[in-house]
Amino acid sequence: MSTNAIRCRQTSILKGCSERWHYRRGLHSSYSVSSRSQSRPSPEQQELSSTTQSSLAKELLEVTELTAAETRKKDRQHLFERSQTKNPIENYLGHLQTTKHELKLEDIERYKPPKVANPKSPDYETIYNEVISSLMRSFSQPQLRQFLQLYGLPSPHHRGNKRTFAVKILEEKWGWPSLAKVSQDRIDWSEVSERQFYLDPAQSFLLMGKDGTNLLNLSRQYNVSLSFTANPMSLRVTGLKGSLKQIDAYLQTLKKDIDLDIFPLPFSKTLGPDIAQSISRLAGAYVKILDDVKLSISFLKSQPQTLSIAKQLVTQVSTQVCSVMQSSNWC
């Protein structure tokens, strides 16, 4: 085949491809334009402003210059943008639902169980979640937040969700223990541990009582083993973790109940430590000699009579000591 024949054939092929490409592009452009012009304009659409018409013309111009793949890509982008935009109608309907009537505490109190479920019951978690689910199904998030305000409870600093608000009402207003606390309590009442509580002499004496019976009753009440150690003075407790927490709470209450009174001696003569210890046991208050002219009396505010008894005994003993010493001209 000659060179001229080959060139003519190549030119013919290229020309045919070019014609087919222009034909397909023309079909695509015609389809894009016709698809937008098939719907019959409504009277409102006929009254479009010149700005809207020019915008529509610009959009048509952009579409006719896009390939089929680019057109499909742009359509998908428009669909995605519309899906990310909240429907204002849904927002308005939600607003109507939350404001259709003024909320009152009676509206949510109807869902309050007649009594708190037993935290030690194996069904506590199930009952707890049922109450929470009931509140979440019955009220919206804004409504639950409004109930918090009606109860006088502070709203969470973070945005929170329906469960957060429902849990806050159930635990802080209706008095249900949290699931975390119930779970921890179960662990505490199944594991044995040992703990040491540091006490001063006055606290140790008032904990034991006049004859030590208070310490024995404490051991029986909380089912623990109690023992005192010296250097430093402390109370060692062995038992279930739950019992140790109860002992800790008891000691904190005891310490808050202790008060101190400084009592001057009737005569400027000190009492011996043995006499102070005997007065402490008789009175039920801890007597400590400070110097020759005064002493301190530690007592429980819930038992003020022990202070009076201790003062009477100190006065009586001091008088007797002074009488004995007076015969020798020491008092």
Side-chain angles (χ1 to χ4, degrees):
M1 185 180 294
S2 65
T3 304
N4 292 334
I6 293 174
R7 289 178 179 175
C8 291
R9 185 175 182 181
Q10 290 176 347
T11 304
S12 176
I13 292 173
L14 291 174
K15 183 178 180 181
C17 292
S18 176
E19 290 176 354
R20 285 194 297 273
W21 183 83
H22 283 291
Y23 174 73
R24 290 179 181 176
R25 183 176 180 183
L27 284 179
H28 168 64
S29 301
S30 301
Y31 173 76
S32 301
V33 175
S34 62
S35 63
R36 293 180 176 270
S37 60
Q38 283 179 358
S39 58
R40 188 174 183 178
S42 62
E44 291 80 359
Q45 292 175 334
Q46 293 177 357
E47 297 178 0
L48 290 174
S49 63
S50 59
T51 304
T52 306
Q53 291 176 355
S54 61
S55 176
L56 181 60
K58 183 178 179 181
E59 183 179 356
L60 288 173
L61 182 60
E62 291 177 353
V63 171
T64 55
E65 293 179 355
L66 295 176
T67 64
E70 291 173 338
T71 302
R72 289 193 297 270
K73 181 178 179 181
K74 188 172 183 179
D75 290 341
R76 288 195 298 268
Q77 181 67 22
H78 287 168
L79 288 174
F80 175 77
E81 292 175 354
R82 285 197 296 270
S83 66
Q84 299 300 311
T85 305
K86 267 195 169 182
N87 191 343
I89 298 178
E90 293 179 358
N91 291 339
Y92 181 69
L93 291 177
H95 174 72
L96 289 179
Q97 182 181 4
T98 58
T99 58
K100 59 184 178 181
H101 72 281
E102 184 180 356
L103 292 176
K104 298 180 181 179
L105 288 179
E106 291 79 2
D107 297 330
I108 194 171
E109 287 287 335
R110 297 190 185 98
Y111 297 85
K112 181 179 179 180
K115 63 179 181 179
V116 178
N118 183 7
K120 297 181 180 180
S121 170
D123 299 328
Y124 178 81
E125 184 175 354
T126 301
I127 301 174
Y128 179 101
N129 287 324
E130 286 177 354
V131 178
I132 293 295
S133 299
S134 176
L135 295 178
M136 293 173 61
R137 288 193 305 267
S138 304
F139 302 102
S140 64
Q141 180 176 343
Q143 288 174 330
L144 291 174
R145 182 186 290 274
Q146 188 173 349
F147 284 129
L148 288 179
Q149 297 174 353
L150 293 176
Y151 274 126
L153 297 174
S155 299
H157 296 296
H158 54 84
R159 189 169 184 178
N161 51 34
K162 293 175 71 173
R163 183 175 180 86
T164 302
F165 299 148
V167 166
K168 198 172 183 66
I169 292 173
L170 183 65
E171 295 180 2
E172 298 186 21
K173 204 62 187 179
W174 294 356
W176 286 56
S178 66
L179 295 180
K181 183 180 184 304
V182 171
S183 177
Q184 184 60 47
D185 287 345
R186 289 175 182 171
I187 296 175
D188 291 343
W189 292 106
S190 60
E191 296 182 2
V192 177
S193 183
E194 182 179 282
R195 188 171 174 183
Q196 201 166 6
F197 300 92
Y198 295 99
L199 305 171
D200 60 33
Q203 294 169 348
S204 300
F205 176 85
L206 294 174
L207 175 64
M208 289 187 296
K210 293 191 298 183
D211 50 6
T213 55
N214 187 38
L215 197 65
L216 180 61
N217 293 334
L218 200 64
S219 175
R220 292 175 178 175
Q221 179 180 353
Y222 296 107
N223 193 25
V224 293
S225 174
L226 303 174
S227 61
F228 276 100
T229 59
N231 299 323
M233 182 174 291
S234 61
L235 176 68
R236 181 175 296 170
V237 186
T238 305
L240 294 174
K241 287 185 176 180
S243 298
L244 299 186
K245 289 183 177 180
Q246 291 179 338
I247 291 291
D248 186 16
Y250 178 87
L251 292 177
Q252 295 301 325
T253 303
L254 177 73
K255 292 177 181 179
K256 292 179 181 179
D257 194 29
I258 296 177
D259 200 358
L260 181 68
D261 185 84
I262 304 299
F263 183 65
L265 290 171
F267 307 99
S268 299
K269 293 297 179 181
T270 184
L271 300 178
D274 294 339
I275 295 178
Q277 187 175 5
S278 298
I279 294 175
S280 298
R281 291 176 178 175
L282 291 173
Y286 182 73
V287 178
K288 179 181 179 181
I289 300 173
L290 300 178
D291 52 38
D292 292 343
V293 295
K294 60 181 180 295
L295 50 79
S296 65
I297 303 176
S298 299
F299 65 101
L300 297 177
K301 290 181 285 187
S302 58
Q303 301 176 8
Q305 71 278 6
T306 59
L307 175 62
S308 301
I309 296 174
K311 288 182 177 181
Q312 292 174 5
L313 291 174
V314 169
T315 302
Q316 183 179 353
V317 171
S318 297
T319 302
Q320 291 177 355
V321 171
C322 186
S323 298
V324 173
M325 297 177 67
Q326 192 173 16
S327 60
S328 303
N329 295 324
W330 291 353
C331 186

